[in-house]
Amino acid sequence: LMYLVVNMKENHLSTIGTASLFLCTSALLTLLWKREKESLGREDGSEICLKRKGEKRDEISSSQNIARQLTKSQVESLRMKYFCRKVTVSYANSGPLMIVGGKGSKLIDYTGKSYLDTRNNVAHVGHSHLRVVESVQQQVGTLNTNTRYLHPNAVLLAERLCGYLPDPLNVVFFVNSGSEANDLALRLARAFTRSNNTIVVDGGYHGHTLACLEVSPYKYENSKEFVLSAPKKTAKYKTPGHHIWKVPCPDIYRGEHRDIDDAGIKYSAYVEEACRYYCEDCRENVGAFVVEGGMSVAGVILPPAQYMSRSVQAVRDAGGVYIADEIQTGFGRLGSCFWAFQHRDSIDGERLIPDIVTVGKPFGNGMPLAAVVTSRAISDAFEGMGVEYFNTFGGNPVCAGAGLAVLDVLESEALQKKCCKS
């Protein structure tokens, strides 16, 4: 329509003619929309019905009803047809579960059988928690859009999140997933240090973007996507490139060093060696040391005393920053501390503050919500790169509302304190 109007105006069509075009086109659009609404069977045209092949028109079911009618074998068959086989589900070796409901700590399958949920890492305050459900329902019925506009939920959530973190961690970037969060964290680190040299921990997993896979030995060591090589000739392992240096997991149960009195010192020596390599051998600085305080995929490994403090000091002396991946361990999941990076604070008095923190999985209780929190200095360096950062859905009104509800429940039900008592 606008194309026609512009062209007609350029050809000096009269104002009356242009107005007539608008009226005629508007009438046509109104007629088409009215017929579309009638075909959908709803006055407001809001419910679109799906018709499966072979069904009569009066047997059309909504997509939700169609989903409810599918059997487990039909769902499995459709997955095999339309999904990549690398998109896996749990218990595939013994028969995957078809879960259609959840309540509290229980998952419910299509037959109504309930299971104690010991595997889930997103339903932080329980499946279908009323407070989260009501927040999401209310907000999605009011507004959910991209993040180009001001909205109270996003700024309130940023303020609440920073309230759980020590200074100077007071700048928030909202994203949709842990992979996005760690990918952005690496960008922030590289903007601040001007280096992509990254020290990673054996067994670590930090996401599925290309940048995250590079810092995840758990993935890149089992993938053909990368051409692995030793960062230096004497190295006993291979990584995706010179810029990635892997250190042993500080495991005092199965690892090389098991004496609790000096294991932290011995394991941190590997990080110090990596720093010397980049600074002395390569004449470069370190970019980042990325690590989970609870090392979940590696086997829920809690680092021994002095490991983190000595490692982070060596990294900072070498010009790098410490990225604390709290995506699986944050929001009180360790019980004794709200963040895994605080684990040794109450034991050894080690007051260690990361330069960048990433959070995710439990943040939205199942809604796609994650974040990166850093200092103003690192944020300013990122601004200096000159590229705008925009995330279409990161911290949208609905997901931010879910995050606020999760924090409300954590506080009002004192879940962390109850965890410590149990």
Side-chain angles (χ1 to χ4, degrees):
L1 172 62
M2 293 306 298
Y3 174 79
L4 289 172
V5 171
V6 169
N7 278 276
M8 287 182 172
K9 282 185 176 181
E10 288 178 351
N11 290 311
H12 307 291
L13 186 69
S14 68
T15 303
I16 294 175
T18 305
S20 298
L21 175 64
F22 268 114
L23 290 172
C24 290
T25 308
S26 297
L28 177 61
L29 290 172
T30 302
L31 177 62
L32 291 173
W33 175 235
K34 188 174 182 180
R35 292 189 63 183
E36 180 69 10
K37 288 192 292 184
E38 290 172 354
S39 71
L40 294 173
R42 284 283 299 273
E43 182 63 28
D44 62 358
S46 63
E47 182 175 344
I48 298 176
C49 296
L50 304 178
K51 187 175 186 298
R52 291 189 289 182
K53 291 180 180 178
E55 288 184 331
K56 296 179 181 179
R57 189 167 186 81
D58 59 1
E59 294 175 347
I60 294 176
S61 300
S62 70
S63 57
Q64 192 173 26
N65 286 333
I66 292 173
R68 289 171 179 164
Q69 293 167 14
L70 290 177
T71 65
K72 180 181 177 182
S73 61
Q74 288 175 316
V75 171
E76 288 185 284
S77 178
L78 288 170
R79 277 190 68 97
M80 289 295 294
K81 182 177 180 179
Y82 294 110
F83 286 23
C84 172
R85 285 189 293 274
K86 285 299 182 180
V87 181
T88 60
V89 294
S90 296
Y91 313 111
N93 60 335
S94 59
L97 302 177
M98 183 158 135
I99 300 299
V100 297
K103 190 67 177 177
S105 61
K106 300 295 180 65
L107 288 171
I108 304 166
D109 73 6
Y110 69 107
T111 68
K113 184 178 181 179
S114 65
Y115 299 82
L116 180 63
D117 186 3
T118 62
R119 293 286 300 276
N120 211 303
N121 53 12
V122 295
H124 196 44
V125 298
H127 295 283
S128 305
H129 193 289
L130 183 60
R131 199 155 180 176
V132 180
V133 171
E134 289 179 344
S135 174
V136 170
Q137 287 179 335
Q138 184 277 327
Q139 187 57 58
V140 81
T142 304
L143 171 73
N144 199 28
T145 183
N146 67 35
T147 57
R148 288 289 189 187
Y149 311 101
L150 296 176
H151 196 277
N153 285 1
V155 294
L156 289 174
L157 185 60
E159 182 180 49
R160 293 279 296 279
L161 179 59
C162 288
Y164 287 99
L165 289 160
D167 288 333
L169 297 169
N170 52 23
V171 179
V172 179
F173 297 80
F174 286 120
V175 293
N176 304 284
S177 69
S179 293
E180 275 190 271
N182 280 332
D183 191 277
L184 178 56
L186 291 168
R187 287 182 64 189
L188 293 171
R190 290 167 189 177
F192 184 71
T193 65
R194 301 299 177 95
S195 171
N196 66 346
N197 294 327
T198 308
I199 301 171
V200 302
V201 179
D202 190 21
Y205 171 63
H206 303 284
H208 61 75
T209 69
L210 191 60
C212 291
L213 288 173
E214 280 195 335
V215 298
S216 302
Y218 174 75
K219 288 292 186 180
Y220 72 64
E221 290 182 340
N222 298 292
S223 173
K224 296 178 182 178
E225 293 178 79
F226 301 96
V227 177
L228 304 182
S229 60
K232 73 174 187 176
K233 292 182 180 179
T234 57
K236 299 179 181 179
Y237 56 86
K238 295 181 179 181
T239 70
H242 154 82
H243 62 293
I244 304 296
W245 184 286
K246 186 183 77 171
V247 296
C249 178
D251 185 351
I252 61 173
Y253 182 67
R254 297 181 180 86
E256 182 179 356
H257 307 295
R258 305 181 186 184
D259 188 336
I260 195 171
D261 293 328
D262 63 3
I265 297 174
K266 290 182 177 179
Y267 277 118
S268 63
Y270 297 109
V271 179
E272 294 167 352
E273 178 191 7
C275 293
R276 285 195 300 272
Y277 167 70
Y278 285 120
C279 292
E280 298 175 9
D281 296 1
C282 304
R283 301 294 181 182
E284 301 169 356
N285 64 292
V286 172
F289 174 46
V290 55
V291 62
E292 289 182 285
M295 301 181 202
S296 52
V297 172
V300 192
I301 306 299
L302 297 174
Q306 299 189 64
Y307 173 75
M308 288 303 303
S309 59
R310 292 175 66 95
S311 296
V312 170
Q313 187 59 56
V315 167
R316 286 174 173 163
D317 289 345
V321 297
Y322 161 36
I323 299 174
D325 181 345
E326 293 282 347
I327 289 159
Q328 297 211 66
T329 56
F331 298 100
R333 297 191 74 192
L334 267 62
S336 61
C337 50
F338 199 78
W339 307 109
F341 70 77
Q342 299 169 324
H343 170 62
R344 301 228 64 96
D345 284 2
S346 58
I347 301 173
D348 308 310
E350 294 184 20
R351 179 69 169 162
L352 186 61
I353 300 174
D355 300 292
I356 303 171
V357 174
T358 57
V359 302
K361 294 186 187 297
F363 197 8
N365 211 56
M367 296 296 288
L369 178 65
V372 181
V373 189
T374 189
S375 66
R376 180 60 63 182
I378 292 177
S379 173
D380 287 346
F382 185 65
E383 288 181 24
M385 295 293 99
V387 179
E388 175 204 30
Y389 181 78
F390 172 64
N391 192 303
T392 304
F393 300 113
N396 67 71
V398 171
C399 291
L404 287 168
V406 167
L407 297 182
D408 288 342
V409 174
L410 283 174
E411 294 173 5
S412 64
E413 298 185 13
L415 294 184
Q416 188 182 344
K417 290 182 180 179
K418 290 178 182 177
C419 178
C420 291
K421 291 179 181 179
S422 62

